[in-house]
Amino acid sequence: MDIREQTPVVAAVAAGGALGASARYAATLAWPTAPGAFPWTIFLVNAVGCAVIGLLMVFATEAPTAPHPLLRPFLGTGFCGGFTTFSTYALDTRGLFGAGSPAEGVLYLGGTLVTALAAVVGGVAAGRALWTRREPA
Amino acid sequence: MNWLLVALGAAVGAPLRHLTDRAVRARHDSVFPWGTFTVNVVGSFALGLLTGVASAQAHLLLGTGLCGALTTYSTFSYETLKLYEGGAKGYAVLNAVGGPAAGLGAVWLGAEAAGLL
């Protein structure tokens, strides 16, 4: 791997990731959820992050003009990746099962998955409506 | 101070995810997103481990920051959609079902291991 080429990309990912994770942390401070309760804040953080990455990836890969090469590492891999989280999702799911609410555990596990996929589909569709030139019929 | 711990952990976790993904892509010519799958499983296991051992501050640095940014839901969802759009519908379903199942298994294993320590 070319270090000279990768250094700015890695720096952009680190900066975006730090910002994204800080935003997630701020959301959990603003809207705390009790241990064993349905983790609404992380649920919504993940949904929002998925919608944003859908929009962004269309802008970065399908729009007529290519954006700055560091936009995708900073906002996509970095910010969205740091904002959303899979580990806390897994841990909180286990917590719901452990707290004796397996139905809520299943609902959180599946509900996050379905909502996240719907959000990324919505983000991509919105991005294509905004930025992708239609093929002439 | 707390905020700084989260940011510091994430400033390591996010590039670690990026570099892992690149390394996996360079070695495996597969449409299945093994890079993201790997970091999500490893990060979930590590967060499970932390449940038993970490102080509140260590949890902010290593849990909320490092594991939080090492793992990702946005790229996981986006890659699932791209598999589906690219015609690899079986892989899309496998990723959508296998990712959360593996993450849950990993966090459970990590927490069990922490309990033994």
Side-chain angles (χ1 to χ4, degrees), chain B residues 13 21-22 42 46 52 55 60 65 69 72-73 78 81-82 85 94 108-109 111-112:
Chain B
D21 191 52
R22 275 184 62 98
V42 170
S55 69
L60 286 173
T72 173
Y73 221 100
Y78 181 73
L81 174 64
K82 291 309 276 186
E85 285 188 336
L94 189 71
W108 180 81
L109 269 179
E112 290 295 312

Side-chain angles (χ1 to χ4, degrees), chain B residues 18-98:
Chain B
H18 170 69
L19 294 173
T20 303
D21 191 52
R22 275 184 62 98
V24 168
R25 277 177 204 277
R27 279 165 188 75
H28 299 280
D29 188 25
S30 166
V31 291
F32 192 80
W34 284 113
T36 303
F37 184 89
T38 303
V39 289
N40 278 346
V41 167
V42 170
S44 297
F45 177 79
L47 189 64
L49 265 184
L50 281 171
T51 54
V53 291
S55 69
Q57 290 207 320
H59 207 273
L60 286 173
L61 177 73
L62 301 174
T64 311
L66 184 80
C67 291
L70 176 65
T71 64
T72 173
Y73 221 100
S74 48
T75 303
F76 159 74
S77 302
Y78 181 73
E79 287 172 343
T80 305
L81 174 64
K82 291 309 276 186
L83 283 173
Y84 188 85
E85 285 188 336
K89 293 182 181 169
Y91 276 139
V93 172
L94 189 71
N95 195 41
V97 176

Side-chain angles (χ1 to χ4, degrees), chain A residues 1 6 9-10 13-14 17-18 21-22 24-25 46 49-50 53 57 62 77-78 80-82 84-91 93-94 109 112-113 116-117 120-121 124 128, chain B residues 2-3 6-7 10-11 14-15 17-19 22 40 43-44 47 51 60 64 67-69 71-78 80-82 85 96 99-100 103-104 107-108 111:
Chain A
M1 138 168 71
Q6 271 298 301
V9 175
V10 169
V13 170
S22 301
R24 167 165 46 83
Y25 178 55
N46 278 335
C50 288
I53 207 167
M57 290 306 284
E62 298 177 27
T77 313
C80 289
T84 63
T85 174
F86 207 92
S87 47
T88 305
Y89 158 73
L91 186 70
T93 302
R94 178 182 173 273
L109 187 73
T112 297
L113 177 66
L117 290 175
V120 82
V121 167
V124 165
R128 285 179 183 155
Chain B
N2 286 350
W3 172 84
V6 172
R17 167 165 44 80
H18 170 69
L19 294 173
R22 275 184 62 98
N40 278 346
S44 297
L47 189 64
T51 54
L60 286 173
T64 311
C67 291
T71 64
T72 173
Y73 221 100
S74 48
T75 303
F76 159 74
S77 302
Y78 181 73
T80 305
L81 174 64
K82 291 309 276 186
E85 285 188 336
L104 189 59
V107 83
W108 180 81

